Amino acid sequence: MRDPGICVVICVYTEDRWEDILAAVSSVRAQSYPALETLLVVDHNPVLKDRLEREYKETGGVRVLANAGPRGLSAGRNTGIAASRAEVIAFLDDDAVAERDWLRRFAEGYADPRVMAVGGRTVPVWASGRRPAWFPEEFDWVVGCTYRGLPPGRVRVRNVLGGNASFRRTAFEAAGGFATGIGRDGDRRPLGCEETELCIRLTRARPDAVLLIDDRAVIHHRVPEPREHFAYFRTRTYAEGLSKALVAKSVGADKGLESERRYTTRVLPAGVARGLRDALLARPGGAGRAGAIVAGVLSAAGGYAIGSLRARRGGTTFSVAPIEEGAHD
């Protein structure tokens, strides 16, 4: 099968990440498997859009677009999908850099025509230079990274993780785009799960679809200093519970919580046991990691309970629209 053409979408929203954005684009331009183009989608920030247009005015293969939908990451991604001209659309966070073979590993996954999505491994880059001793690897998803408990190698999964993922264009034709009202909106409450909801919707629309994660498709994701603290950990896990409630409302609890059941009944208890063992052996952070796992579970459960109540009362809504193709300026 011929190699697929890949377009990379990077959604951006603040000038505070200027250097990160430039580094992300540079990492895409240095790929061993070249991207057809890189789309920078700016989320309702005209100043940033103008600055990026000046920066890349003379650079081929980079386009700067305004988010054509409501504020937020999901609408930004949908804008990039609609404007792209490739068979495969890859997504990279604006504060991450991809290793040289990132797109090559994605492309290899699409040799099987049944494959509709390929994700990769996201490694945290801690602002302090090292992982906080109390921070459990089982909760690295809190900072947008691959967490302990995911299977190694190239494996089939329920959903890919949005900051390091790719989809065939036909996946969006079958299932529609990312749901708005469920994911991130700038610096507001750190909601998520929009990629989970999309992937479940995709496999319902295309029961034969295969979704993969290849841990050789690596990106390095910057973790700013405020996210190294327990206050953010607690806020993010609570927000995840809220998001999971929306996903369950959309696709049903059976599918919406399928992977989470294994995670909470197998992966997390093992993590608590490791933390307690390390504490008994006087290793740094053992008790803290065990406690953080328990606190994270309770916080997410509380968010899920509140989110489920709001969903039943109709207080929280999100929508999915078909992707309308066409170039955007």
Side-chain angles (χ1 to χ4, degrees):
M1 183 179 179
R2 66 178 178 80
D3 291 338
I6 303 179
C7 166
V8 177
V9 173
I10 304 174
C11 295
V12 303
Y13 71 98
T14 176
E15 289 183 276
D16 293 342
R17 293 186 176 181
W18 179 256
E19 296 300 328
D20 292 331
I21 296 168
L22 299 187
V25 174
S26 293
S27 75
V28 175
R29 290 174 56 77
Q31 289 294 299
S32 62
Y33 184 101
L36 294 182
E37 63 177 345
T38 301
L39 301 181
L40 291 169
V41 183
V42 184
D43 193 17
H44 298 269
N45 185 336
V47 174
L48 176 58
K49 180 175 180 288
D50 289 345
R51 187 178 178 187
L52 286 169
E53 286 175 335
R54 291 194 299 271
E55 178 71 23
Y56 292 107
K57 183 177 180 181
E58 306 298 330
T59 304
V62 178
R63 281 198 287 159
V64 180
L65 315 171
N67 178 1
R71 187 182 299 275
L73 181 58
S74 290
R77 286 174 173 166
N78 291 341
T79 297
I81 296 164
S84 68
R85 301 159 180 161
E87 179 184 346
V88 172
I89 300 101
F91 299 94
L92 179 66
D93 277 346
D94 64 346
D95 53 356
V97 293
E99 292 191 0
R100 180 171 168 77
D101 289 333
W102 177 60
L103 291 182
R104 182 175 300 283
R105 300 307 183 189
F106 281 173
E108 289 170 356
Y110 291 104
D112 183 342
R114 299 173 302 162
V115 172
M116 289 288 112
V118 183
R121 177 163 58 96
T122 302
V123 178
V125 180
W126 303 95
S128 62
R130 59 185 300 179
R131 171 186 297 276
W134 64 269
F135 202 111
E137 291 183 32
E138 291 81 0
F139 275 82
D140 275 7
W141 56 263
V142 164
V143 291
C145 295
T146 301
Y147 55 90
R148 182 195 289 266
L150 288 176
R154 183 196 287 172
V155 293
R156 191 167 181 171
V157 292
R158 179 195 66 180
N159 63 275
V160 296
L161 305 178
N164 180 9
S166 63
F167 294 84
R168 284 195 198 273
R169 174 174 298 282
T170 51
F172 301 111
E173 293 170 358
F178 289 92
T180 58
I182 189 174
R184 293 249 178 179
D185 179 358
D187 288 317
R188 297 183 183 181
R189 176 173 284 165
L191 299 171
C193 293
E194 64 273 19
E195 65 275 2
T196 301
E197 193 274 340
L198 170 63
C199 289
I200 295 172
R201 191 165 15 99
L202 170 60
T203 52
R204 284 189 168 178
R206 291 282 303 271
D208 61 332
V210 173
L211 284 64
L212 301 174
I213 284 182
D214 187 335
D215 65 6
R216 299 170 302 167
V218 180
I219 70 169
H220 298 264
H221 184 266
R222 190 173 68 82
V223 181
E225 192 272 339
R227 297 187 183 184
E228 295 187 2
H229 298 288
F230 184 73
Y232 179 81
F233 180 90
R234 183 178 55 202
T235 300
R236 177 68 185 91
T237 51
Y238 176 78
E240 183 75 0
L242 293 175
S243 300
K244 291 295 184 189
L246 280 177
V247 172
K249 177 186 177 183
S250 171
V251 300
D254 286 347
K255 269 292 183 185
L257 301 176
E258 183 179 52
S259 295
E260 288 72 16
R261 290 190 182 94
R262 176 188 173 277
Y263 174 72
T264 54
T265 58
R266 298 183 186 179
V267 175
L268 295 186
V272 171
R274 269 191 301 273
L276 294 176
R277 179 199 63 197
D278 288 348
L280 289 173
L281 296 173
R283 293 172 179 167
R289 289 192 296 275
I293 290 173
V294 174
V297 170
L298 294 175
S299 180
Y304 184 83
I306 295 298
S308 297
L309 181 62
R310 291 177 182 172
R312 284 197 297 270
R313 292 178 174 177
T316 307
T317 60
F318 64 96
S319 60
V320 178
I323 298 295
E324 297 180 3
E325 295 187 21
H328 293 268
D329 297 322

